[in-house]
């Protein structure tokens, strides 16, 4: 495996990739490429869509192992590969290990090291977009890699009672148990989709961390009738930026948070990890806004 060292990062170009499903509309590639250009460096960003190639999520292992041979300096990993990639890495940062999910892989020498910038990306976006929102009781939809990151961010931000709703109740329960171990004294529990109405009726906020709402997975992740103020609603989906969930929530008077902020802030940190360069987060936010508007 050929990787990048701190020394040879200086003064040369970068090759980065994104592995996931249905990632054609992703705004991550142009965000990375333009920021590198503004810093006077060349960065080429390629998408590796497993749907296009007819590959299963488990193929992420071979893709990661092969990437350094083709000159890649790092990779971003997205749905549905954030957890499937774990056995194929040489090491994990403490955050990635605790969350059991990776969204960024950096090739260091002969090693592929997994990082998680999703949780901090969501937290920063949440603090900016909904700074005064009550957060004691929150319902989280989705217990996958993104859900694990959001859950960690919510508990870090002060949520005391978190309900994780997922069709795979065992997966949600495993996540809840792991979170309780990391955040003693907090309430965190799993629930099946059939119980979502009861939990949302008592919640301060709702976060969608499922792919429902993406261009390839249209629709609402729960009945629209459950959306009512003062409930706030956040969605991590950002393509489209205004999902059906957010449109319906706003129509019913709920404060909302799109997935755009998380997309930007996780990208800022991933860019820094892969290139060793210091990105301008305000500039990347402005560029994202231009891309999303277009």
């Amino acid at each position: 495996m050929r990787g990048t060292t701190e020394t040879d990062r200086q003064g040369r170009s970068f090759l980065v990739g994104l592995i996931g499903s249905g990632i054609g509309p992703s705004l991550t590639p142009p965000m990375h490429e333009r920021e590198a250009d503004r810093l006077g460096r060349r960065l080429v960003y390629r998408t590796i869509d497993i749907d296009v190639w007819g590959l299963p999520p488990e193929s992420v292992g071979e893709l990661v192992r092969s990437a350094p041979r083709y000159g890649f300096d790092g990779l971003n990993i997205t749905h549905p590969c954030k957890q499937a990639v774990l056995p194929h890495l040489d090491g994990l940062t403490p955050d990635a290990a605790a969350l059991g999910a990776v969204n960024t892989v950096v090739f260091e020498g002969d090693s592929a090291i997994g990082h998680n910038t999703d949780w901090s990306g969501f937290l920063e976006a949440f603090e900016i977009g909904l700074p005064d929102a009550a957060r004691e009781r929150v319902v989280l939809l989705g217990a996958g890699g993104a859900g694990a990151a959001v859950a960690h961010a919510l508990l870090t931000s002060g949520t005391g009672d978190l309900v994780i709703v997922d069709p795979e109740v065992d997966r949600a329960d495993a996540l809840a148990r792991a979170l309780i171990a990391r955040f003693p004294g907090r309430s965190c529990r799993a629930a099946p989709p059939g119980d979502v109405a009861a939990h949302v009726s008592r919640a301060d906020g709702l976060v969608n961390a499922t792919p429902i709402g993406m261009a390839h997975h249209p629709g609402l992740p729960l009945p629209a009738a459950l959306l009512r103020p003062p409930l706030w609603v956040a969605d991590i989906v950002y393509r489209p930026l205004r999902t059906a969930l957010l449109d319906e929530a706003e129509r019913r008077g709920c404060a909302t948070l799109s997935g755009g902020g998380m997309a930007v802030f996780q990208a800022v940190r991933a860019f820094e990890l892969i290139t060793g360069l210091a990105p301008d987060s305000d500039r990347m936010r402005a560029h994202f806004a231009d891309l999303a508007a277009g």
Side-chain angles (χ1 to χ4, degrees):
M1 182 180 290
R2 189 204 65 77
T4 305
T5 67
E6 288 298 325
T7 299
D8 66 22
R9 280 176 176 164
Q10 304 306 312
R12 69 169 187 77
S13 62
F14 300 94
L15 178 60
V16 184
L18 172 65
I19 299 175
S21 168
I23 55 177
S26 175
L27 300 183
T28 298
M31 266 201 298
H32 280 248
E33 290 180 343
R34 180 178 290 188
E35 184 59 20
D37 184 64
R38 295 292 180 87
L39 293 171
R41 304 294 287 275
R42 171 71 168 160
L43 185 149
V44 176
Y45 198 113
R46 302 300 189 199
T47 56
I48 306 168
D49 193 321
I50 61 173
D51 290 349
V52 171
W53 292 97
L55 299 172
E58 294 74 22
S59 65
V60 67
E62 178 57 31
L63 293 172
V64 169
R65 287 191 295 271
S66 300
R69 296 198 294 270
Y70 294 97
F72 281 86
D73 299 287
L75 298 166
N76 284 136
I77 311 294
T78 191
H79 173 80
C81 301
K82 292 180 180 183
Q83 293 168 323
V85 74
L86 295 176
H88 307 286
L89 301 174
D90 300 299
L92 299 172
T93 62
D95 285 347
L99 294 172
V102 160
N103 77 316
T104 303
V105 176
V106 179
F107 299 117
E108 301 177 0
D110 292 330
S111 299
I113 307 301
H115 301 254
N116 191 300
T117 70
D118 278 336
W119 82 269
S120 57
F122 179 84
L123 180 59
E124 191 163 359
F126 184 73
E127 296 291 358
I128 292 172
L130 294 171
D132 301 319
R135 61 192 74 178
E136 174 61 24
R137 297 177 300 277
V138 179
V139 173
L140 171 64
L141 306 180
V150 170
H152 185 90
L154 288 169
L155 293 174
T156 298
S157 77
T159 295
D161 185 0
L162 181 66
V163 176
I164 305 170
V165 178
D166 194 282
E168 297 182 36
V169 180
D170 288 346
R171 179 171 72 164
D173 186 62
L175 175 57
R177 291 175 183 275
L179 290 164
I180 290 171
R182 293 203 301 278
F183 295 91
R186 309 291 179 87
S187 172
C188 187
R189 59 197 184 279
D195 293 345
V196 69
H199 293 296
V200 170
S201 69
R202 297 189 294 268
D204 298 312
L206 169 78
V207 183
N208 176 44
T210 78
I212 298 175
M214 293 174 63
H216 289 259
H217 302 277
L220 291 171
L222 80 173
L226 301 181
L227 306 174
R228 74 320 173 249
L231 183 79
W232 54 262
V233 179
D235 203 329
I236 70 163
V237 173
Y238 76 91
R239 292 296 277 168
L241 193 60
R242 302 306 306 172
T243 61
L245 174 65
L246 296 185
D247 281 345
E248 188 64 31
E250 285 191 356
R251 191 178 71 81
R252 292 169 177 266
C254 300
T256 62
L257 178 69
S258 77
M262 179 180 178
V264 171
F265 290 119
Q266 66 81 21
V268 168
R269 179 59 178 149
F271 180 97
E272 183 178 23
L273 287 168
I274 293 170
T275 68
L277 304 174
D280 184 321
S281 59
D282 289 337
R283 189 164 60 202
M284 290 183 73
R285 287 177 69 191
H287 183 208
F288 177 88
D290 288 345
L291 290 167

